[in-house]
Amino acid sequence: MAADPSVFILLTNTGTLFTKLIQGYTKAPYNHASISFNWELSELYSFGRKHPSNPLNGGFVKEDIKTGTFSKYPNTTCVLYELQVTAREVEKMERVLQVFIRSRQKYLYNILGVIGIALKEPVEFSNSYFCSQFVAEILERSGIKLWNKLPALVTPDDFRQSDRLRLVYQGKLSEYEPERLGGDEG
């Protein structure tokens, strides 16, 4: 994986019934968070649907912005942020991520954790995460603390509010063209 001194946080809104329910409560424009180690988003990870057509089967997923769940919802809106980090922090994040990848089958989607956010009470189970909890956990286990709260209370909108993140792209996910960013990985 690249030694790029940045990671990327992608926030999305697919417009599904589940996301509309969450949005009805949060009033936030985006309700799903993912993390990538490159601006092309070819290494994009989160907790969400394991199969695009089944919203009830969730867990740890490697996402693809061109296929899978996102392709099923072509009007998905998004915002992409860059977080400047050190090469050592990227190394730590990749190590934490490898634990998730190696044991991907044992992880479940933490639906009760989503309810816990509404109640402002963290609901944590081992091997169970929701999307923004997972991204915050990856960052925190790598020594990056963007907020003074537990990962189980972090929402996708908390990323939008962080002053450490730099806006890279906003619009339809299907129209995101990484080559237009002019990123140079050399």
Short mmCIF file of all heavy atoms in Angstrom, two decimals, residues 47-74:
data_model
loop_
_atom_site.label_atom_id
_atom_site.label_comp_id
_atom_site.label_asym_id
_atom_site.label_seq_id
_atom_site.Cartn_x
_atom_site.Cartn_y
_atom_site.Cartn_z
N PHE A 47 -18.28 -0.43 7.12
CA PHE A 47 -19.25 -1.42 7.59
C PHE A 47 -20.56 -1.05 6.92
O PHE A 47 -21.01 0.09 7.01
CB PHE A 47 -19.38 -1.40 9.11
CG PHE A 47 -18.45 -2.38 9.78
CD1 PHE A 47 -17.08 -2.16 9.75
CD2 PHE A 47 -18.93 -3.52 10.38
CE1 PHE A 47 -16.21 -3.06 10.33
CE2 PHE A 47 -18.07 -4.44 10.96
CZ PHE A 47 -16.70 -4.21 10.94
N GLY A 48 -21.13 -2.00 6.23
CA GLY A 48 -22.37 -1.75 5.51
C GLY A 48 -22.91 -3.04 4.94
O GLY A 48 -22.62 -4.13 5.45
N ARG A 49 -23.65 -2.93 3.86
CA ARG A 49 -24.26 -4.10 3.21
C ARG A 49 -23.19 -5.01 2.63
O ARG A 49 -22.34 -4.56 1.87
CB ARG A 49 -25.16 -3.66 2.06
CG ARG A 49 -26.37 -2.91 2.47
CD ARG A 49 -27.14 -2.49 1.23
NE ARG A 49 -28.27 -1.66 1.60
CZ ARG A 49 -29.39 -1.63 0.93
NH1 ARG A 49 -29.53 -2.34 -0.16
NH2 ARG A 49 -30.37 -0.85 1.33
N LYS A 50 -23.29 -6.30 2.93
CA LYS A 50 -22.38 -7.27 2.31
C LYS A 50 -22.83 -7.59 0.89
O LYS A 50 -22.03 -7.92 0.04
CB LYS A 50 -22.30 -8.54 3.14
CG LYS A 50 -21.53 -8.35 4.44
CD LYS A 50 -21.34 -9.67 5.14
CE LYS A 50 -20.51 -9.51 6.39
NZ LYS A 50 -20.26 -10.78 7.06
N HIS A 51 -24.15 -7.50 0.66
CA HIS A 51 -24.72 -7.75 -0.67
C HIS A 51 -25.66 -6.59 -0.98
O HIS A 51 -26.53 -6.27 -0.17
CB HIS A 51 -25.47 -9.09 -0.69
CG HIS A 51 -24.61 -10.24 -0.29
ND1 HIS A 51 -23.64 -10.77 -1.11
CD2 HIS A 51 -24.55 -10.94 0.87
CE1 HIS A 51 -23.02 -11.75 -0.48
NE2 HIS A 51 -23.55 -11.87 0.72
N PRO A 52 -25.51 -5.98 -2.15
CA PRO A 52 -26.29 -4.78 -2.48
C PRO A 52 -27.80 -4.94 -2.32
O PRO A 52 -28.48 -4.00 -1.94
CB PRO A 52 -25.94 -4.52 -3.95
CG PRO A 52 -24.62 -5.16 -4.15
CD PRO A 52 -24.58 -6.34 -3.20
N SER A 53 -28.33 -6.13 -2.60
CA SER A 53 -29.78 -6.29 -2.56
C SER A 53 -30.32 -6.70 -1.19
O SER A 53 -31.52 -6.85 -1.03
CB SER A 53 -30.21 -7.33 -3.61
OG SER A 53 -29.55 -8.55 -3.36
N ASN A 54 -29.44 -6.88 -0.21
CA ASN A 54 -29.89 -7.32 1.11
C ASN A 54 -29.42 -6.35 2.20
O ASN A 54 -28.31 -6.47 2.70
CB ASN A 54 -29.38 -8.73 1.41
CG ASN A 54 -29.92 -9.28 2.72
OD1 ASN A 54 -30.55 -8.58 3.50
ND2 ASN A 54 -29.65 -10.55 2.96
N PRO A 55 -30.29 -5.42 2.62
CA PRO A 55 -29.88 -4.44 3.64
C PRO A 55 -29.76 -5.04 5.04
O PRO A 55 -29.21 -4.41 5.94
CB PRO A 55 -31.00 -3.40 3.59
CG PRO A 55 -32.18 -4.15 3.08
CD PRO A 55 -31.64 -5.19 2.13
N LEU A 56 -30.22 -6.26 5.23
CA LEU A 56 -30.18 -6.87 6.56
C LEU A 56 -28.89 -7.64 6.83
O LEU A 56 -28.59 -7.97 7.97
CB LEU A 56 -31.39 -7.80 6.75
CG LEU A 56 -32.75 -7.11 6.58
CD1 LEU A 56 -33.86 -8.14 6.70
CD2 LEU A 56 -32.91 -5.98 7.57
N ASN A 57 -28.13 -7.92 5.79
CA ASN A 57 -26.88 -8.66 5.96
C ASN A 57 -25.72 -7.67 5.86
O ASN A 57 -25.25 -7.34 4.78
CB ASN A 57 -26.76 -9.74 4.89
CG ASN A 57 -25.50 -10.57 5.04
OD1 ASN A 57 -24.80 -10.49 6.04
ND2 ASN A 57 -25.21 -11.37 4.03
N GLY A 58 -25.28 -7.18 7.02
CA GLY A 58 -24.22 -6.17 7.04
C GLY A 58 -23.00 -6.63 7.81
O GLY A 58 -23.04 -7.58 8.58
N GLY A 59 -21.91 -5.94 7.58
CA GLY A 59 -20.66 -6.23 8.27
C GLY A 59 -19.52 -5.48 7.62
O GLY A 59 -19.73 -4.48 6.92
N PHE A 60 -18.31 -5.97 7.82
CA PHE A 60 -17.12 -5.35 7.25
C PHE A 60 -17.12 -5.56 5.74
O PHE A 60 -17.33 -6.68 5.26
CB PHE A 60 -15.86 -5.97 7.87
CG PHE A 60 -14.59 -5.46 7.25
CD1 PHE A 60 -14.15 -4.18 7.52
CD2 PHE A 60 -13.85 -6.25 6.39
CE1 PHE A 60 -12.98 -3.69 6.95
CE2 PHE A 60 -12.69 -5.77 5.81
CZ PHE A 60 -12.25 -4.50 6.09
N VAL A 61 -16.90 -4.47 4.99
CA VAL A 61 -16.92 -4.57 3.53
C VAL A 61 -15.79 -3.75 2.90
O VAL A 61 -15.42 -2.70 3.40
CB VAL A 61 -18.27 -4.10 2.94
CG1 VAL A 61 -19.38 -5.08 3.26
CG2 VAL A 61 -18.64 -2.71 3.41
N LYS A 62 -15.28 -4.30 1.79
CA LYS A 62 -14.43 -3.50 0.91
C LYS A 62 -15.38 -2.99 -0.15
O LYS A 62 -16.04 -3.77 -0.83
CB LYS A 62 -13.32 -4.33 0.27
CG LYS A 62 -12.44 -3.50 -0.64
CD LYS A 62 -11.28 -4.26 -1.22
CE LYS A 62 -10.46 -3.30 -2.09
NZ LYS A 62 -9.42 -3.99 -2.83
N GLU A 63 -15.47 -1.67 -0.25
CA GLU A 63 -16.43 -1.07 -1.16
C GLU A 63 -15.76 -0.70 -2.49
O GLU A 63 -14.55 -0.54 -2.56
CB GLU A 63 -17.03 0.19 -0.53
CG GLU A 63 -17.81 -0.12 0.74
CD GLU A 63 -18.31 1.10 1.47
OE1 GLU A 63 -17.54 2.08 1.60
OE2 GLU A 63 -19.45 1.07 1.93
N ASP A 64 -16.59 -0.57 -3.50
CA ASP A 64 -16.13 -0.17 -4.83
C ASP A 64 -17.09 0.90 -5.32
O ASP A 64 -18.30 0.67 -5.36
CB ASP A 64 -16.13 -1.39 -5.75
CG ASP A 64 -15.50 -1.08 -7.10
OD1 ASP A 64 -15.78 -0.01 -7.68
OD2 ASP A 64 -14.72 -1.93 -7.58
N ILE A 65 -16.56 2.05 -5.69
CA ILE A 65 -17.44 3.15 -6.09
C ILE A 65 -18.11 2.92 -7.44
O ILE A 65 -19.06 3.60 -7.78
CB ILE A 65 -16.72 4.53 -6.06
CG1 ILE A 65 -15.58 4.59 -7.07
CG2 ILE A 65 -16.24 4.84 -4.65
CD1 ILE A 65 -14.98 5.99 -7.22
N LYS A 66 -17.64 1.96 -8.21
CA LYS A 66 -18.21 1.69 -9.54
C LYS A 66 -19.14 0.47 -9.55
O LYS A 66 -19.93 0.30 -10.47
CB LYS A 66 -17.10 1.45 -10.58
CG LYS A 66 -16.13 2.62 -10.70
CD LYS A 66 -16.75 3.78 -11.42
CE LYS A 66 -15.75 4.88 -11.64
NZ LYS A 66 -16.31 6.18 -11.70
N THR A 67 -19.01 -0.42 -8.57
CA THR A 67 -19.82 -1.64 -8.55
C THR A 67 -20.44 -1.81 -7.16
O THR A 67 -20.33 -0.95 -6.30
CB THR A 67 -18.94 -2.88 -8.86
OG1 THR A 67 -17.98 -3.03 -7.82
CG2 THR A 67 -18.25 -2.77 -10.20
N GLY A 68 -21.09 -2.93 -6.95
CA GLY A 68 -21.66 -3.22 -5.64
C GLY A 68 -22.80 -2.28 -5.29
O GLY A 68 -23.55 -1.83 -6.15
N THR A 69 -22.91 -1.98 -4.02
CA THR A 69 -24.03 -1.18 -3.51
C THR A 69 -24.10 0.18 -4.18
O THR A 69 -25.18 0.64 -4.55
CB THR A 69 -23.93 -1.03 -1.98
OG1 THR A 69 -23.97 -2.35 -1.40
CG2 THR A 69 -25.08 -0.22 -1.43
N PHE A 70 -22.97 0.85 -4.35
CA PHE A 70 -23.00 2.19 -4.94
C PHE A 70 -23.53 2.17 -6.38
O PHE A 70 -24.19 3.10 -6.81
CB PHE A 70 -21.62 2.85 -4.89
CG PHE A 70 -21.19 3.22 -3.49
CD1 PHE A 70 -19.95 2.83 -3.02
CD2 PHE A 70 -22.02 3.93 -2.64
CE1 PHE A 70 -19.54 3.17 -1.73
CE2 PHE A 70 -21.63 4.28 -1.36
CZ PHE A 70 -20.38 3.89 -0.90
N SER A 71 -23.25 1.11 -7.13
CA SER A 71 -23.74 1.04 -8.52
C SER A 71 -25.25 0.86 -8.56
O SER A 71 -25.91 1.24 -9.52
CB SER A 71 -23.06 -0.09 -9.29
OG SER A 71 -23.47 -1.35 -8.80
N LYS A 72 -25.80 0.27 -7.53
CA LYS A 72 -27.26 0.06 -7.44
C LYS A 72 -27.99 1.38 -7.19
O LYS A 72 -29.17 1.50 -7.47
CB LYS A 72 -27.54 -0.94 -6.33
CG LYS A 72 -28.96 -1.45 -6.27
CD LYS A 72 -29.06 -2.58 -5.26
CE LYS A 72 -30.45 -2.86 -4.85
NZ LYS A 72 -31.19 -3.80 -5.60
N TYR A 73 -27.27 2.38 -6.67
CA TYR A 73 -27.84 3.69 -6.36
C TYR A 73 -27.05 4.77 -7.10
O TYR A 73 -26.21 5.46 -6.50
CB TYR A 73 -27.85 3.92 -4.85
CG TYR A 73 -28.62 2.84 -4.13
CD1 TYR A 73 -27.97 1.77 -3.54
CD2 TYR A 73 -30.01 2.87 -4.09
CE1 TYR A 73 -28.68 0.75 -2.91
CE2 TYR A 73 -30.73 1.86 -3.48
CZ TYR A 73 -30.06 0.80 -2.89
OH TYR A 73 -30.78 -0.21 -2.29
N PRO A 74 -27.30 4.95 -8.41
CA PRO A 74 -26.50 5.88 -9.22
C PRO A 74 -26.63 7.35 -8.81
O PRO A 74 -25.79 8.16 -9.19
CB PRO A 74 -27.00 5.65 -10.65
CG PRO A 74 -28.35 5.03 -10.48
CD PRO A 74 -28.32 4.27 -9.18
#
